Amino acid sequence: MNRKNVWTTYSATQLKAVDKFGEDYKNFLDNSKTEREAIDTIVNEIEAAGYRELNTLIGGKTKLKKGDKVYSVWMNKSIVMFQLGSEPLEQGLNILGAHIDSPRIDVKQNPLYEDGGFAYLDTHYYGGIKKYQFVAMPLAIHGVFVKKDGTTVQLNVGEDEDDPVFFISDLLIHLAADQMSKTAAKVIEGEALDLIIGHRPFVVESKEKEKAEKADPKLSAGEKYALAAEKAEKAESGKVSGAVRRGILALLNDLYGVEEEDFISAELEIVPAGKSRDAGFDRSMILGYGHDDRVCAYPSMRALLEAKNLKRTGCCILVDKEEIGSVGATGMQSKFFENAVAELMNLTKEGYNDLALRRCLANSCMLSSDVSAGFDPTYASAFEKKNAAFLGEGLVFNKFTGSRGKSGSNDANAEYIAEIRRAFEKDGIIFQTAELGKVDVGGGGTIAYILALYGMNVIDSGVAVLNMHAPWEVIDKADLFEAKRGYVSFLQNVDFRNE
C-alpha cells in the first residue's frame, strides 16, 4: 500500500500550526516530567477552557447537559475528562486513552547513605529501561515529601540553569575490561543505579556543637537537626555515620523542612535533566524525555478541548502505572474510570443505574493512544518494513500488540477499523498501520485490553517514536500534529456500536 509523508500534504498555514503545536507540546513535556506534574499542568489548562471538577457537583441540584465539560482527578496521578454530547450516555462514549507515566528511576524509602566520601540515594528503576543508558549523564529529582502532619513538600531540582544536577557514576574505560565483557543487560546492575547527591563533609566546630542545644543563632535549623541526629545516633549505636550524609540532611532540612524519616512517605523520581529540544537542522523532530506516552496524552487532551458539537460524549482518560502493568489504584485496572462514568450518569437527567452503565461502556469506542516503535534504518533487522511505523507518515494504528502469537493483546475488529477509516477519510487524516517489530523479536502491551474487557471496541493508536524508553526519545512534529487532528476526527465522527 502507498504511504504518504505528512509534511508534503500540509499547506503553509498548516505548517505554521505544526510549529505552534510543537512548541505547546514541548512546554507541556518540560513541565510534566512526573505524573503529578502532568496532572497539575493538565488541570490548569482544562479549567481555563471551562472544565469543572466532577466532585464539586456531586450531591448538588445541577443536571449536566450537552456541551458541559467536567473532569475528575484520582490521587493526583490520573484524570478523566468528559464533554457531554447530544446522545444519552447509555449510547456509549468516544474515548481517547493514554498514560502519563514514563520509564525512570525511583528513590527507595530508606535511601540515604554514604560510601567512599559520597552521599547516595538508593534507587529502584521503574518500567523497562536499558540501565546503562542512565549512567554518566545529568539527572534531576522531581517529586514530593508528604510529612506526618499531611503537608506536602514539592521537590524539583536539576531543571533550572542555576540548579545543581545529580548523576550515576560509571567505571572508567581504562579499568572496564571485565565490565565490557558483560551483556548489555548486566553491564550495569539495578542495585548499581544509585544517585550521587553530595561530597562535602558536614563540619561544625566543637564549641558550636555545645551551643547547638541552646539555639545558637550562628547555626541554621538544618545544622541543628543534623547535630541532634548525630547525637541520637551515637547514643543508640555508639557510632556516627558519615559527615557527607549529615551535610545532606542539614541541607534538606534547611531548604525543604524535611527530616530523614520523611523519605518513608516520599515519592521521588529521577529523570534526565534539561528541556526538550528541536532536533535536526530542519527542526522537524523533538528530542525529549517522556514522549512515551505524553506524546499521545497531550494531543488527546487538546483534541477534547477542540472538539465541537459532539453527538456521542467525548472522553479522555490519562492514567498512571502503564509502564508496570497498569496496576494499583491509579492504573487503568482500577475502578476509578468506571466510578467516574457512574457519577457522570447520575448527574444527567437520564440518571444512573447499573444496567445503563454497563450498556454505556459496552457501546463505547476507544482509541488506546500509545506510542509505536518508529522504523530505525540503523537497526532495520528488528523490523518488518512493510508493517513498520515510519516517522513523518502520520498517526499509527496497531490492530494488535502483545508478543509472539499476539499474547496479551487486544485484537481490534475489522468492522471497527472500517468505521475509523470512514471517519478519517472524511477529514483527510493521514494514518499508517504497524506492528511492534518482527514476529517473535519482541513485543509490548498497552491499556487497550483493559477497556476491551467491558466489551467496547478498542484499537491502539499513537505516534511513532525513536529511542523508545531511552532517557531522550525522538518524535516527528508532523506526526504529533496529525495525531491531534485524528483524535478530533474520532471524537466528532465515529458513531459505531456492536450489533
Side-chain angles (χ1 to χ4, degrees):
M1 287 182 285
N2 292 329
R3 293 174 176 265
K4 288 185 180 179
N5 187 294
V6 183
W7 289 99
T8 65
T9 69
Y10 285 158
S11 66
T13 300
Q14 286 176 312
L15 289 172
K16 289 181 180 178
V18 169
D19 288 336
K20 174 62 169 61
F21 194 65
E23 290 303 309
D24 292 344
Y25 170 63
K26 286 193 297 182
N27 287 332
F28 170 77
L29 205 61
D30 295 340
N31 291 319
S32 305
K33 287 194 172 182
T34 70
E35 306 86 351
R36 291 173 183 267
E37 291 173 351
I39 292 298
D40 287 344
T41 305
I42 290 163
V43 167
N44 288 338
E45 185 155 353
I46 66 175
E47 285 190 341
Y51 277 74
R52 293 178 290 171
E53 190 170 7
L54 188 63
N55 287 346
T56 64
L57 304 175
I58 295 173
K61 296 181 179 180
T62 300
K63 289 295 181 184
L64 298 174
K65 59 187 184 304
K66 178 186 177 182
D68 283 343
K69 304 168 184 178
V70 295
Y71 74 93
S72 179
V73 170
W74 194 242
M75 295 186 180
N76 299 314
K77 294 181 184 177
S78 294
I79 187 170
V80 57
M81 298 162 264
F82 303 96
Q83 181 187 153
L84 269 72
S86 56
E87 288 187 346
L89 290 171
E90 190 173 320
Q91 296 299 310
L93 317 171
N94 280 352
I95 303 169
L96 299 171
H99 66 93
I100 50 175
D101 61 316
S102 295
R104 60 177 189 264
I105 299 172
D106 285 344
V107 175
K108 292 183 180 180
Q109 264 50 65
N110 184 23
L112 184 59
Y113 71 97
E114 180 177 336
D115 192 5
F118 295 100
Y120 290 87
L121 290 179
D122 200 359
T123 71
H124 194 137
Y125 64 93
Y126 174 97
I129 65 171
K130 293 180 177 178
K131 296 184 283 291
Y132 63 81
Q133 292 180 331
F134 282 79
V135 301
M137 67 178 300
L139 299 168
I141 304 175
H142 293 236
V144 296
F145 289 94
V146 182
K147 300 168 124 183
K148 286 186 292 185
D149 63 4
T151 58
T152 298
V153 180
Q154 293 190 341
L155 195 72
N156 184 334
V157 185
E159 301 296 350
D160 291 339
E161 289 185 4
D162 293 334
D163 280 355
V165 293
F166 311 95
F167 65 97
I168 298 165
S169 62
D170 193 12
L171 185 62
L172 65 161
I173 188 65
H174 310 73
L175 304 178
D178 288 344
Q179 182 194 48
M180 296 292 283
S181 67
K182 296 180 180 179
T183 65
K186 295 292 186 180
V187 69
I188 299 292
E189 300 283 356
E191 285 291 355
L193 289 173
D194 289 355
L195 192 72
I196 294 179
I197 60 169
H199 180 55
R200 180 177 176 178
F202 174 67
V203 179
V204 176
E205 293 181 6
S206 58
K207 290 183 179 180
E208 291 177 320
K209 284 186 179 182
E210 294 171 3
K211 294 178 181 179
E213 295 179 1
K214 300 178 182 179
D216 186 348
K218 292 183 180 179
L219 296 177
S220 70
E223 289 171 328
K224 294 170 188 174
Y225 164 69
L227 288 172
E230 177 185 341
K231 183 177 179 181
E233 191 177 19
K234 190 171 184 179
E236 182 176 339
S237 64
K239 298 179 181 179
V240 177
S241 58
V244 178
R245 178 180 177 278
R246 290 198 303 280
I248 296 299
L249 287 173
L251 282 169
L252 290 174
N253 190 267
D254 278 334
L255 293 172
Y256 306 105
V258 299
E259 300 179 356
E260 185 172 14
E261 287 192 355
D262 292 326
F263 277 106
I264 295 173
S265 51
E267 290 179 358
L268 302 177
E269 301 179 12
I270 299 165
V271 299
K275 296 182 180 297
S276 54
R277 303 283 295 274
D278 285 348
F281 281 117
D282 54 9
R283 297 182 177 270
S284 58
M285 298 168 287
I286 297 174
L287 179 79
Y289 166 71
H291 286 316
D292 182 7
D293 184 35
R294 294 171 192 133
V295 73
C296 295
Y298 184 71
S300 295
M301 180 268 290
R302 284 286 298 269
L304 191 59
L305 295 186
E306 294 183 18
K308 307 294 183 186
N309 299 316
L310 298 182
K311 184 178 179 182
R312 286 160 65 99
T313 291
C315 173
C316 177
I317 315 166
L318 305 177
V319 294
D320 182 26
K321 298 294 189 290
E322 191 276 342
E323 296 294 356
I324 58 171
S326 296
V327 293
T330 55
M332 195 66 248
Q333 293 195 55
S334 84
K335 298 295 184 182
F336 89 93
F337 166 65
E338 183 179 327
N339 294 342
V341 175
E343 295 286 3
L344 181 74
M345 297 185 79
N346 201 45
L347 288 169
T348 64
K349 64 180 181 180
E350 60 195 275
Y352 164 81
N353 65 71
D354 185 64
L355 183 57
L357 175 62
R358 290 172 184 267
R359 286 174 176 166
C360 170
L361 295 173
N363 284 328
S364 294
C365 293
M366 182 189 183
L367 297 186
S368 173
S369 303
D370 209 337
V371 295
S372 289
F375 179 77
D376 189 336
T378 304
Y379 305 100
S381 62
F383 298 86
E384 195 272 285
K385 202 169 183 179
K386 298 190 306 299
N387 290 287
F390 284 77
L391 267 67
E393 295 190 356
L395 182 63
V396 184
F397 283 100
N398 295 83
K399 185 178 186 294
F400 52 84
T401 53
S403 58
R404 296 178 298 281
K406 301 186 182 180
S407 175
S409 76
N410 167 71
D411 200 341
N413 287 345
E415 292 86 350
Y416 179 45
I417 299 172
E419 168 66 10
I420 294 172
R421 289 176 60 201
R422 179 201 64 79
F424 278 22
E425 184 174 321
K426 177 181 177 181
D427 287 334
I429 307 301
I430 296 175
F431 67 93
Q432 55 184 314
T433 61
E435 297 179 15
L436 186 60
K438 285 183 176 178
V439 176
D440 289 339
V441 167
T446 67
I447 64 173
Y449 76 97
I450 301 167
L451 276 297
L453 293 173
Y454 292 111
M456 70 176 69
N457 280 284
V458 184
I459 188 170
D460 284 294
S461 71
V463 175
V465 176
L466 288 188
N467 305 348
M468 191 190 298
H469 281 214
W472 298 102
E473 301 169 314
V474 178
I475 61 101
D476 184 284
K477 289 182 180 179
D479 290 338
L480 170 70
F481 187 70
E482 200 67 9
K484 191 259 293 182
R485 293 184 67 237
Y487 295 158
V488 172
S489 180
F490 168 80
L491 292 170
Q492 295 182 160
N493 297 324
V494 168
D495 188 12
F496 184 81
R497 294 167 189 81
N498 295 314
E499 297 297 331

